[in-house]
Structure formats: C-alpha cells, structure tokens
Amino acid sequence: MNDQLPEDLICWQQLERTASDVFRLFGYQEIRLPVVEKTELFARSIGQATDIVEKEMYTFQDRNGDQLSLRPEATAGVVRAMLQHGLLHNAIQRVWYTGPMFRHERPQKGRYRQFHQIGVEAYGMAEADLDVEIISLTWQLWKQLGLTETTLELNTLGTANSRQQYRAALVDYYQSHKESLDADTLHRLEKNPLRILDSKNDAIIELNRNAPDILDYLDDESREHFQRVQQLLDKLGISYVRNPKLVRGLDYYSRTVFEWTTDKLGAQSAICGGGRYDNLVEKLGGKPVPAAGFAIGMERLIELMKIEQLCQPVKRQDVYLVQTSATALELGSTLAMELRDAGFSVTANVGDASFKSQLKKANRCNARLALIIGDDELQTSTISVKKLDDGEQFSVSRDNLLAEASKYLAITE
Ligand code: ATP
Ligand code: MG
C-alpha cells in the first residue's frame, strides 16, 4: 500500500481531470460508494472459484458478527447500489467511479495491495453498440492523454449456454493432458476450467496454444454480437487483436471482453479490463438487466504516462509574499486577498523571519514573483517586485500592483 505524496499527485489529478471530462463527453455521471461491502456480495458476483475471492480479499468480521470485505473491485458495489436505490427500473444508467481497491496479492511493480481504479458501468443496453461505446470511451481517453503505446485485445465469452459447451470441450482437452498439469491448474480444471487460459505458468501457456477456441462453440446470436462489435470498431478505426485466451479474472463476464495492454510496463501489462456482464444484476437479486463496463488500473496508467512523458510539470506558485514587520503583514494580507480574488496563487510568509530567509523560502516554493513589503515600501506606499527567475527587481505603487503583477504573470505563464 503506497503513500501518495504531493509531488506524485500532480499526474494523478491530471488523469482524474482528463478522465472525468471524457466521461462527461459520453454522458456518464459520477457515483461514489463505500469501500466496505458484505463479503457475500463479492463471492456471489466475482465468483467463488476466482483468485480474488479465494485468496486476495481483505475480509473481517465486524462487532455485529457480519462478514465484510474491503472492495477488491467496484462493479459489485455499483450493482448493489443500483438495486438498493431502485435505479434500474426500466432505466438506462451510465455511471463512472474512481477510488481505492484492495487485494492481498504478492506486491511487485504494477501490482499493489491497495491500488486505484477509475471505470465506468452502463446498464440497460444489450446491443453491441454499447460494447463499442465503452471501448471508444477508453480510446478517446488515451487520445486525450496523448498515449500511443497501447493495444486493444478483444475476445468473446459468448452466452452462458455457449460457454457451457466450450467449458466441456476445455475439460476434455486438459483431461487428456492431465499428467502435465500443475496443482493450481488441476484446481482450476475442477473449479473453473476457463481460468486455465489465463495461466501465467509457461508450461500451461504452451499447452493453451492448442486448446479449443470459443469461436467454434458460439451460438448464432453470440457470433453476430461479436461480429457487430468488430464491424463498429473497424468503422471507428479502432484497431484490435483478437486474443482467444482472454477470459478475464472475474466470473461475471459474458459476450465481449477486452483488455488494453502495453509492452512498456513489463509483466504487469494490462492497464484496463472490461466487457459485458448481462447476468450480473440478476445474480445479485435484480430483474435481468444487461450491463457492461471497464476498470482502468491507475497506477499502471500513470507509470505509462510517465514513460511516455505525458505528465504535466508542477504548476508554479505565482507569488510569494515577503513581509518584514507586523504592519507589513497587515497590508500584505489584504494584498494577498486581492491577488487571490484575481485568481493568482499566493503563498504568504508566516511568522517572523529575516528578509534573506523569506526570499530563500520564496525560491524554494518555486514562485515566479516575490512581492516585498518592508519598512521602505511602507513609507513610500510602494511594493518591491522581484522576478525570481532572473533576480530583476523593480518598484510599483501600491495602487498599480495588481495591474503590474497581472501583466508579468500573464506573459510568463
Ligand atoms: P491482472 O491480470 O494484472 O491481475 P486483473 O485481471 O486481476 O489484472 P482487473 O480485475 O480486470 O485486473 O482490474 C482492472 C485493472 O486494474 C487491471 O487491468 C490492472 O490495470 C489493474 N489492477 C488489477 N489488480 C491490480 C493490483 N493489484 N495493483 C495494481 N493494479 C491492478
Ligand atoms: Mg489479478
């Protein structure tokens, strides 16, 4: 779990701002939910036989004996809230969220125990255009951020029915190679054979090359849906590669699944995962409502933004206010208020300090101007203005300060 220090947060805020702008452009509204939910909610939605539920959740019993978990992802909570507040009755909903998620994983670069996601969820639309809407939303976000090193991987998991036949074919295939399966794979074979396709074990990756392909098991409807998704992506010029091994780590997906990956981040290459989950709302106790969404891993995306040099530099402070006496301070605080009213950022020196040490602080806080109010200035109703970049200093009358400061700060912005 990482601390997020002021310096790191510049890029985070840039990402959050850009993402919320893009979400608004697509008509998505923000939703904020608790980080704790009943454990059962995650077990039912994500699936018992998934890594997340089997070994990654932070689960505890509260004082009333309720089993609770820190959320490992947000979709389950969003569906819970939608149902609880009756927001899905004959309604279409488009929402986005951001916040910390918790998984007890083995920490490594790009994989943390508290990490952050930003994502969207859309409800009440079964058609392929929605799948493409959320994919093009991510595409638009990458464009807006300036990212170029991303690849869209696409697959379909079909409907529950077609997946059942596929599952049987997979079981047959792995049964016939049982001698080369490790313990984890044998466990998956018994509980959740599709998850074998997602294995990170080299021998299994090799075995997966010849595994049956879901495309051969799709019913007509699933096939048409997937074709329509690809057609619309082609029309938009969003390129993708089909990855037949892409099954995603959560059980609730159906039909379209996708991941955005990059080869710039080493082993933790997925920066965004999503897809359609038409059965989830019903599974969590609602009437059937089709749904789709995605989640972006913010730590990984920010790492990629840094590699691609897309993080904006720290915004400089406009003014540092140097005030060398109690009377100067009184005038200074009024000036600071006027400057801030006009939209300039002002750090005022607090407490007694020598002129020299105040100027040092002005440089340390990376201000563009130091405004100096000392005894001379008080007597002559002037303010000394020092440009901290080149050290040039001049004097302006108190009445002209705002105009002069604005002029200088506007050209050096
Ligand atoms: P992975 O295969 O890398 O474990 P996942 O399939 O478990 O990913 P999802 O549940 O789909 O991940 O979450 C969506 C995104 O959240 C991922 O693509 C990734 O960018 C990010 N993410 C997931 N787990 C972590 C983690 N422990 N630390 C940092 N980011 C994570
Ligand atoms: Mg994972």
Side-chain angles (χ1 to χ4, degrees):
M1 298 188 185
N2 297 305
D3 298 318
Q4 297 180 295
L5 304 179
E7 191 188 346
D8 306 326
L9 283 175
I10 308 284
C11 199
W12 281 81
Q13 288 164 349
Q14 178 186 340
L15 170 57
E16 286 160 10
R17 257 194 324 270
T18 313
S20 69
D21 284 349
V22 172
F23 296 154
R24 189 180 45 78
L25 293 179
F26 280 77
Y28 286 68
Q29 290 181 307
E30 188 178 3
I31 187 166
R32 296 188 189 186
L33 301 171
V35 295
V36 178
E37 298 275 357
K38 292 210 167 110
T39 304
E40 175 209 61
L41 175 73
F42 300 117
R44 268 208 288 168
S45 58
I46 296 168
Q48 280 290 358
T50 56
D51 285 354
I52 295 180
V53 171
E54 272 184 348
K55 44 193 184 206
E56 295 175 0
M57 282 210 293
Y58 284 89
T59 296
F60 62 97
Q61 208 175 50
D62 76 358
R63 285 163 194 269
N64 304 334
D66 288 332
Q67 281 295 119
L68 304 176
S69 295
L70 297 183
R71 63 178 181 197
E73 54 97 58
T75 300
V78 177
V79 174
R80 196 256 322 131
M82 289 282 161
L83 290 174
Q84 190 173 326
H85 301 284
L87 299 178
L88 297 178
H89 296 311
N90 305 317
I92 280 176
Q93 294 288 351
R94 288 179 167 91
V95 295
W96 69 271
Y97 61 81
T98 184
M101 310 295 157
F102 303 85
R103 297 183 192 176
H104 194 273
E105 304 204 62
R106 194 167 63 78
Q108 51 200 289
K109 193 169 163 48
R111 190 174 293 286
Y112 310 105
R113 291 180 171 175
Q114 175 175 337
F115 63 100
H116 297 77
Q117 291 184 334
I118 190 163
V120 310
E121 312 268 331
Y123 298 91
M125 293 162 278
E127 298 77 11
D129 358 348
L130 177 70
D131 311 24
V132 175
E133 173 177 299
I134 64 169
I135 292 173
S136 61
L137 202 164
T138 51
W139 170 251
Q140 179 93 9
L141 177 58
W142 311 152
K143 264 199 301 192
Q144 216 88 293
L145 291 169
L147 285 180
T148 53
E149 305 288 339
T150 55
T151 304
L152 174 60
E153 298 186 21
L154 193 66
N155 196 18
T156 178
L157 298 175
T159 52
N161 198 20
S162 51
R163 203 156 52 248
Q164 216 159 16
Q165 293 178 33
Y166 179 54
R167 191 186 146 107
L170 279 179
V171 171
D172 280 351
Y173 176 74
Y174 293 112
Q175 288 283 7
S176 67
H177 293 87
K178 215 166 179 178
E179 67 294 340
S180 42
L181 305 183
D182 61 315
D184 184 45
T185 308
L186 284 168
H187 178 72
R188 289 183 185 190
L189 179 58
E190 193 188 316
K191 294 256 172 138
N192 195 347
L194 259 78
R195 304 271 302 114
I196 300 175
L197 294 172
D198 198 27
S199 176
K200 312 231 151 84
N201 174 328
D202 286 338
I204 305 300
I205 292 174
E206 193 50 44
L207 190 62
N208 285 342
R209 279 185 211 287
N210 295 317
D213 186 333
I214 180 103
L215 280 194
D216 299 326
Y217 297 83
L218 291 181
D219 49 38
D220 288 346
E221 206 198 330
S222 302
R223 186 185 313 278
E224 276 159 28
H225 186 99
F226 192 45
Q227 274 166 357
R228 184 73 179 139
V229 167
Q230 295 175 81
Q231 229 172 36
L232 289 169
L233 287 173
D234 291 341
K235 275 254 178 292
L236 286 170
I238 300 176
S239 47
Y240 53 87
V241 288
R242 171 152 187 265
N243 176 356
K245 307 292 178 290
L246 182 64
V247 289
R248 313 270 310 110
L250 308 90
D251 269 0
Y252 52 61
Y253 287 98
S254 56
R255 295 199 163 153
T256 313
V257 287
F258 66 92
E259 254 175 29
W260 284 96
T261 57
T262 174
D263 54 15
K264 298 281 168 213
L265 293 179
Q268 283 16 285
S269 60
I271 55 167
C272 171
R276 184 169 268 290
Y277 25 93
D278 290 342
N279 303 316
L280 183 61
V281 175
E282 190 179 15
K283 212 166 165 185
L284 292 179
K287 295 216 176 81
V289 174
F294 64 75
I296 293 168
M298 296 177 79
E299 280 81 359
R300 293 185 196 174
L301 181 55
I302 282 178
E303 194 54 34
L304 186 58
M305 286 169 68
K306 285 187 182 151
I307 291 170
E308 292 204 42
Q309 299 189 323
L310 300 171
C311 294
Q312 286 155 5
V314 181
K315 226 176 169 205
R316 294 180 68 180
Q317 195 70 355
D318 292 322
V319 169
Y320 192 92
L321 200 61
V322 175
Q323 40 213 8
T324 58
S325 67
T327 328
L329 187 143
E330 283 160 25
L331 171 65
S333 47
T334 312
L335 288 178
M337 197 187 291
E338 282 171 21
L339 285 161
R340 291 181 189 127
D341 281 346
F344 298 112
S345 55
V346 180
T347 301
N349 190 78
V350 169
D352 288 335
S354 72
F355 174 73
K356 223 173 117 190
S357 100
Q358 291 194 38
L359 263 191
K360 235 189 232 162
K361 288 192 216 160
N363 278 307
R364 216 179 297 140
C365 91
N366 197 22
R368 292 192 284 165
L369 289 182
L371 298 185
I372 301 157
I373 315 174
D375 294 341
D376 292 350
E377 285 83 3
L378 281 176
Q379 255 165 31
T380 52
S381 289
T382 58
I383 310 288
S384 294
V385 180
K386 189 178 172 82
K387 299 180 186 169
L388 291 168
D389 285 335
D390 59 11
E392 190 195 330
Q393 189 169 324
F394 57 92
S395 171
V396 297
S397 79
R398 209 180 280 168
D399 296 339
N400 273 343
L401 175 68
L402 196 58
E404 289 294 320
S406 303
K407 228 191 294 170
Y408 176 75
L409 292 168
I411 38 172
T412 57
E413 201 155 35

